[in-house]
Amino acid sequence: MFTQTDNIKTKLTSFGLSEEEVLIYLELLKKSPQSALELSRTLSLGRTKVYRLLDLLNEKGLVNILIDEYGSKFEANEPSSLEYL
């Protein structure tokens, strides 16, 4: 598992993602879907910063936004989608 995580980290940083973006993506790979609040608490990052980073990850096609009557949740796309970046 660590080797796969390290490979994903290396790929993500080579595409210019920040360390915080990488942390969010990897957390969503572990457990999806999650709200911005859950991610904020787990990663000890500000919630508004998490929203901003999630928007960037969504624009890059790494994260999907799921909206329901309770609010927004986020899920990571499969690591195989990294090949298309």
Side-chain angles (χ1 to χ4, degrees):
M1 177 66 182
F2 289 115
T3 304
Q4 184 179 11
T5 303
D6 290 340
N7 287 340
I8 294 169
K9 263 185 172 177
T10 303
K11 279 187 181 182
L12 291 172
T13 54
S14 71
F15 292 129
L17 271 65
S18 70
E19 189 171 326
E20 292 165 333
E21 288 173 309
V22 172
L23 289 174
I24 290 172
Y25 181 72
L26 292 176
E27 180 61 30
L28 286 173
L29 279 178
K30 283 189 236 175
K31 180 184 174 203
S32 278
Q34 291 191 61
S35 68
L37 179 61
E38 291 170 314
L39 288 165
S40 172
R41 289 179 177 166
T42 301
L43 300 172
S44 299
L45 295 171
R47 190 176 57 193
T48 55
K49 185 174 196 171
V50 169
Y51 272 114
R52 185 175 47 82
L53 295 171
L54 285 166
D55 283 341
L56 291 172
L57 289 169
N58 180 257
E59 289 172 11
K60 294 173 183 173
L62 296 173
V63 170
N64 290 324
I65 302 171
L66 310 171
I67 300 173
D68 62 14
E69 65 269 10
Y70 302 110
S72 299
K73 295 238 179 187
F74 304 86
E75 68 179 1
N77 287 329
E78 291 297 318
S80 60
S81 66
L82 296 174
E83 295 172 12
Y84 299 110
L85 291 177

